């Protein structure tokens, strides 16, 4: 039974070490920004800089681990039917739309949706790290130029993570036009308990 | 008159908006990890994820800005005689040497040197973000594979930053063998006050 994250929103929840989290793109071409904290100590959290270093890769998929700022394994990717995710770019924020999209006025954003859902756990906006951007298709060349492209994920594609410690997780259904080919869609997820 | 950061150490200092910081590689092939905080509010700090997004590039050099987690410009790179820097990898830590180098026992690390020098400012290890790694030569291909190579910097190469806000800065002379071709060397820096 999948849980639904509605378009341009987010949900936070905790899972235990050994649990399996599956994140599903039900309609295709949608992105989910995922941030992860040690549920017993929120000062330990996902680190893109440590993960890219330990995995020796910018692109993480099946078999790779996500690491914390304290150099501990937080999650293992055990299956990934699409295979393209991003770990370079910070969650879209109000300023993303003002500065990069030249948008006037308020715009829903992953950063604000992460914050609103993590607030009950005592987490501030400033504590939110660079997310693991599931299904996000960020292309780059060897000169470093970055281009955000529509996701390659098709309806039903999913990624499965095994928790390597007790975790607080927040997942979004992304709010940025460039990340999902201009159409806002839901994200589904599912937790299998193994304890 | 340049200030000297001895091999495998670090120094922290504050500068004001408009000041020019020059970081020099006096002997060539040495790396300096730089972390940056808003000196008036340490919860605002350097963000690799925001910088790569706003600059649309993995590789930042002359003309690029370094951005904060609050989407503000912190520094502008106004000159860069070497031109290759890294913003992907987190500072080397004790675990870098234990896990990646299979090193036994204690090893000096940039993360510990950053922490020791930032402690008087009330900053904890967990608050230290992914650094802007000056002169670090991290190669990657379009499949995302990362290789840490010796720096291309030659003796006397330097990079100049203009502060876009009042800043607390910490600079290291890197402690990792892979980042500087196995030889530990000093880093020099210089501040021009423009206020």
């Amino acid at each position: 039974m999948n849980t639904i994250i509605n378009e341009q929103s987010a949900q936070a929840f905790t899972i235990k070490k050994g649990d399996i989290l599956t994140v599903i793109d039900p309609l295709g071409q949608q992105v989910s920004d995922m941030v992860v904290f040690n549920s017993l100590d929120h000062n330990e959290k996902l680190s893109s800089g440590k993960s890219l270093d330990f995995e020796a890769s910018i692109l993480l998929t099946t078999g790779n681990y996500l690491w914390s700022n304290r150099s501990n394994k937080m999650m293992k990717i055990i299956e990934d039917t699409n295979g393209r995710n991003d770990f370079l770019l910070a969650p879209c924020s109000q300023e993303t739309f003002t500065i990069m999209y030249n948008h006037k006025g308020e715009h829903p954003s992953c950063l604000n949706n992460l914050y609103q859902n993590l607030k009950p756990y005592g987490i501030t906006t400033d504590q939110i790290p660079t997310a693991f951007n599931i299904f996000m298709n960020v292309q780059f060349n060897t000169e470093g130029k970055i281009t955000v492209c529509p996701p390659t994920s098709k309806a039903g594609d999913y990624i499965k993570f095994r928790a390597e410690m007790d975790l607080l997780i927040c997942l979004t259904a992304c709010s940025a036009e460039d990340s999902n080919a201009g159409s806002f869609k839901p994200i589904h997820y599912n937790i299998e308990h193994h304890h």
Side-chain angles (χ1 to χ4, degrees), chain A:
Chain A
M1 183 62 186
N2 293 336
T3 305
I4 297 171
I5 304 173
N6 291 322
E7 58 177 46
Q8 298 190 309
S9 74
Q11 285 183 35
F13 51 88
T14 59
I15 63 176
K16 294 285 190 186
K17 181 176 176 173
D19 287 353
I20 308 290
L21 169 69
T22 306
V23 181
I24 305 120
D25 184 353
L27 302 175
Q29 293 204 317
Q30 176 56 309
V31 166
S32 179
D33 286 14
M34 177 173 75
V35 294
V36 185
F37 297 83
N38 175 342
S39 65
L40 305 174
D41 180 352
H42 298 161
N43 288 317
E44 180 166 21
K45 60 190 177 188
L46 193 60
S47 167
S48 57
K50 278 293 170 199
S51 300
L52 270 49
D53 196 10
F54 285 129
E55 301 300 313
S57 182
I58 295 175
L59 296 171
L60 304 186
T61 182
T62 308
N64 288 121
Y65 289 90
L66 307 186
W67 295 74
S68 78
N69 57 337
R70 293 184 191 162
S71 295
N72 293 314
K73 291 173 180 171
M74 303 192 90
M75 303 179 102
K76 182 178 184 179
I77 304 174
I78 58 174
E79 200 180 346
D80 183 7
T81 64
N82 174 52
R84 185 87 190 192
N85 309 291
D86 171 66
F87 213 176
L88 295 175
L89 304 187
C92 64
S93 59
Q94 176 62 38
E95 296 81 6
T96 309
F97 300 102
T98 314
I99 298 172
M100 302 186 75
Y101 290 54
N102 206 20
H103 179 86
K104 309 291 179 204
E106 284 211 22
H107 191 295
S109 71
C110 283
L111 186 63
N112 189 48
N113 286 332
L114 290 166
Y115 167 63
Q116 294 298 338
N117 285 274
L118 287 166
K119 197 165 49 169
Y121 296 92
I123 289 170
T124 66
T125 303
D126 288 332
Q127 288 178 275
I128 295 173
T130 293
F132 183 67
N133 302 310
I134 298 165
F135 309 128
M136 190 173 185
N137 182 11
V138 176
Q139 296 288 328
F140 48 87
N141 63 22
T142 51
E143 283 75 48
K145 188 176 161 43
I146 286 173
T147 313
V148 178
C149 298
T152 55
S153 50
K154 295 181 176 51
D157 270 330
Y158 63 86
I159 183 168
K160 264 184 207 283
F161 304 91
R162 186 182 69 215
E164 301 291 315
M165 61 172 75
D166 292 358
L167 297 173
L168 165 62
I169 292 172
C170 194
L171 288 170
T172 74
C174 184
S175 297
E177 284 81 354
D178 276 7
S179 301
N180 48 32
S183 65
F184 305 113
K185 295 169 184 167
I187 285 288
H188 293 179
Y189 70 93
N190 183 277
I191 300 162
E192 296 165 53
H193 296 287
H194 284 267
H195 55 279

